Amino acid sequence: MTAPPTPQHPVTVRVFTQRLSATPRGARLARHLALHQLHTWGIPHGTDASDTVAVIVAELAANAVTHGRVPGRDFELRLSLVTGSVRVEVTDTRSGPRPPGPGDVPAARPLDEGGRGLVLVEALADRWEVLDREPPGKTVRAEVDLPGWLSLVRRSSGSPSRSTTAPPPDPRPEPPTCRSLP
């Protein structure tokens, strides 16, 4: 008798988390930090993956600042280099109506000043979703696939090439993150 196969979850190889002020300056900083972090992970500026993640971070951060802002509370940017993709998560602390999810985003009319952020996320991300969080708030998560991600991880970690399905985890501790009280 054999046990049923256990589903394999993506292996997180690298993580970056930063809390930012829920202001336009915080949204701009989120984009710059994301580009810098991707470059540190071996995804250079100007590549398709870097440009795509930059647009997604910019749109989600702008939405968090515009629609998810609660005075005195920050929003959080989290980037993860997972098996085969970069995962972007932007979390805000506003409760209330959720934004539309995948497949439910209405198209903006040509003369509308806004309403294109999630349209861009839907067009650019390989997968995305809206998640509730506790305490009140929501997280919008988007993933961008990285062709050749395994060689990228090996190159950035400096380890020799070997045939495995997942690279070893980073032995260095994660940097501390700033946490604000709700």
Side-chain angles (χ1 to χ4, degrees), residues 24-46:
R25 179 177 282 175
R28 283 190 306 274
L29 183 57
R31 181 182 172 280
H32 290 291
L33 288 171
L35 284 169
H36 177 73
Q37 189 59 50
L38 291 177
H39 188 77
T40 300
W41 287 341
I43 304 168
H45 297 284

Side-chain angles (χ1 to χ4, degrees), residues 32-162:
H32 290 291
L33 288 171
L35 284 169
H36 177 73
Q37 189 59 50
L38 291 177
H39 188 77
T40 300
W41 287 341
I43 304 168
H45 297 284
T47 60
D48 288 344
S50 177
D51 291 347
T52 300
V53 170
V55 170
I56 290 170
V57 168
E59 294 302 333
L60 294 181
N63 284 352
V65 167
T66 305
H67 306 292
R69 183 173 187 275
V70 173
R73 295 197 180 166
D74 299 335
F75 75 95
E76 182 178 274
L77 169 68
R78 181 179 178 96
L79 300 173
S80 306
L81 186 59
V82 298
T83 305
S85 64
V86 173
R87 179 179 295 152
V88 176
E89 295 173 299
V90 175
T91 301
D92 65 48
T93 55
R94 171 152 286 190
S95 59
R98 283 177 60 159
D104 295 330
V105 178
R109 294 184 311 228
L111 298 179
D112 287 348
E113 291 184 20
R116 290 173 182 80
L118 289 179
V119 172
L120 286 170
V121 170
E122 186 153 41
L124 295 173
D126 291 296
R127 290 162 300 286
W128 73 284
E129 61 186 334
V130 180
L131 306 166
D132 290 325
R133 77 179 267 276
E134 295 293 329
K138 63 196 154 302
T139 298
V140 180
R141 175 187 295 161
E143 289 190 6
V144 176
D145 290 340
L146 293 174
W149 75 276
L150 190 55
S151 62
L152 172 94
V153 172
R154 287 187 186 134
R155 185 173 58 242
S156 70
S157 67
S159 62
S161 180
R162 51 195 158 124

